[in-house]
Every structure is written in structure tokens, then in C-alpha cells.
Amino acid sequence: MNTFEIKITVKKRAAVRALLVSALQNMGISPSDFVITDSQKELAVSLYRATRAECQALVKNISKAFSGQVLINILRHAKKDWSTQWKTGWKPFPLTRSIYVVPLWQERRNIPSGKRPIFLETTSAFGTGLHETTRFTSQLIEFQKGKFQSFFDIGTGSGLLCIVAALNGARKIEAVDIDKDAITVARNNVRANGVSGVRFSATDIKTYKQSTQFDLVAANLITHDLLRLKSKIISYVRPGGRLIISGISLANLKLIKKEFGFLKEIKLMKVTEGKEWSALLFEKKL
Ligand SMILES: C[S@@+](CC[C@H](N)C(=O)[O-])C[C@H]1O[C@@H](n2cnc3c(N)ncnc32)[C@H](O)[C@@H]1O
């Protein structure tokens, strides 16, 4: 399966960001549906769609609105790219204070003493740990060490977060992913790290029927899904338990804080912000 990215690039001028965002909003595209990359020279806005035809229809409208002032490209991201990217030039790297991620085919020799390795293969799933969203979620899981025994991973991808949770004390772990290939990768990764008893389901969290509650729940999803599924996600946290949400670009942080801030049953405990992404830790009130 491919993903198609519409990348709109503009040379930086004052106020261009606000103009672009409001023009896209006027076309019915919400800020939670795009990712903004703001470098010194230029500003890029990316929108993701499942087919090239969907992209072409949108590009037509965007081109009309900006009449040649912006550069628009449609980029195809093949699923296979994950395996190629992962295998070229990746070395063991620190994920949290105590954990190093090590590609499955590499030896353990590069890990500093006292660090624990997670051996990982991500042939088609998101979640190598190199991305800020995964790293921040892993660090927040480690921050909760000693406070949880059960863990629910919503959108598990490579299964990395299940392994991080197990290394930090989780005894009962469940994980779901809408992508059945990701579940296969996650199962293999969990097994390769000697973590047993994880219950995996290839399912959309929207229609997931289980009603068990967990001490700690992590959801690293796109902002749009975090917003539309927030009540469902929170329902899996036991009263007094914790929730980590991630996958939030800095451009969307204000919106997420506002929308989750309205909810009476949870309280914001911690915000992690990086260069482009952020993750939030909440407590569910008793
Ligand atoms: C950004 S990746 C996160 C992977 C991993 N948990 C991590 O933190 O690196 C999001 C994952 O959520 C899955 N996903 C997206 N929407 C979902 C949904 N509605 N229900 C279940 N899984 C979903 C995707 O297939 C993908 O594997």
C-alpha cells in the first residue's frame, strides 16, 4: 500500500504561514490534517492521502487559490521504503535514558554498559524509535515506571512501545493496529525481545469492542484521529491511570491542548516538546 503526500512549499515571507493555513482552512482542510515544516528558508505544508487521484483533485484547488505562488509536488511513499530506510545506515541509538534500540541484524557491541537493548526489525511498520513521536512516548512510558502494571498500545506499529512498557514493569499488555502487517511485525519484535503474553488485535480502535481498562494507555496517532477518537481512547484508562498521546505536530499542539483540556475526566500532567513534535501525559481523575 502507498501513501501520497501533497507537499506545498513557499519561500519564507512574514505572515505567509498564517495565510497558507487560513487558505487551506477555507478549502475545508483542518489544521489537524496537515503537517507544517518550518525551516529558515522555506515553509512546507504536507497533506497525506491514500490515492494519487485524491491528491490531484486537491492540488487543482490549491493551485487555483495560490495561482502559481507556491510549489506543489505529489510524492509517493511506498510501504517498502520503510525497510530500505531502516536498513541503510542505522546504528544502535538511545531511545530513553535506559534503553537503546538495536537493529535485529546488528550485534550488541555498540551499546554503552548499563543500557538495555531492544532488538527491532521494522520491515513495514512505523515505530523504529528514530521519530520524535515514538521517542517521546517511550520516554513518557519510562517516566511512569513503577506506576503501572497493565499497558494498552493503540496503533502499535512495530510493537516497540509494548517492549518499552514490558521493560518498565508492565505485566499485562494489549496492542491494536488497523494494519495487519504491522501486527505481524510487532508480534515478531515482541518475541525477539523475550516479551511474552502480549495480546494483539488487527483492528480499528474506533470499532474495537473490548472494554478492559489499563493503568497506562499510549496512542501515537495523527491529530485528526486523536480528536475524533478521544472519548474512546480515554475510556480505556482506569480511573487514576495515565494516558500518553503523541503524534502531535507543534502546529497542532494548541488545538489538542484545548480540545483535551475541555474534558473533565482527565488532567494534563506533562508536555514534551521537540523540534517538530510533541507528546502529552494525562491522568484520569478518580
Ligand atoms: C504513528 S504510528 C505509531 C507506531 C508506534 N506506536 C510508535 O509509537 O512508534 C501509528 C500507528 O497507528 C496505526 N493506526 C492508525 N489509525 C488507527 C486506528 N484507527 N486504529 C488502530 N490503529 C491505527 C497505524 O497503522 C500505525 O501503525
Side-chain angles (χ1 to χ4, degrees), residues 1-13:
M1 204 191 355
N2 296 313
T3 305
F4 292 88
E5 174 186 358
I6 303 173
K7 189 165 185 182
I8 312 163
T9 318
V10 281
K11 289 253 158 18
K12 274 208 80 175
R13 291 195 308 270

Side-chain angles (χ1 to χ4, degrees), residues 126-127 134 153 155-157 161 177-179 203-205 220-221 225:
F126 185 102
T134 309
D153 186 2
T156 191
L161 301 181
D177 202 293
I178 200 166
D179 178 353
T203 184
D204 184 339
I205 188 62
N220 179 1
L221 300 173
D225 285 342

Side-chain angles (χ1 to χ4, degrees), residues 137-145 148 151 161 164-165 244:
T137 314
S138 302
Q139 289 165 354
L140 287 171
I141 293 172
E142 191 164 279
F143 180 66
Q144 291 303 294
K145 186 174 183 160
F148 67 99
F151 175 71
L161 301 181
V164 173
I244 299 164

Side-chain angles (χ1 to χ4, degrees), residues 84-100:
T84 342
Q85 277 173 15
W86 162 251
K87 295 221 173 186
T88 49
W90 279 40
K91 297 190 198 91
F93 62 91
L95 179 72
T96 67
R97 277 190 195 175
S98 72
I99 296 171
Y100 259 67

Side-chain angles (χ1 to χ4, degrees), residues 1 79 82 124-135 137-138 141 151 153-162 175-180 182-183 201-208 218-222 225 228-229 246-247:
M1 204 191 355
K79 219 176 186 185
W82 287 113
S124 59
F126 185 102
T128 56
L130 276 175
H131 201 271
E132 272 188 344
T133 62
T134 309
R135 210 171 64 243
T137 314
S138 302
I141 293 172
F151 175 71
D153 186 2
I154 301 178
T156 191
S158 66
L160 175 63
L161 301 181
C162 295
V176 297
D177 202 293
I178 200 166
D179 178 353
K180 67 176 178 10
I183 292 291
S201 308
T203 184
D204 184 339
I205 188 62
K206 191 175 172 206
T207 51
Y208 192 50
N220 179 1
L221 300 173
I222 59 169
D225 285 342
R228 78 185 171 105
L229 300 169
S246 188

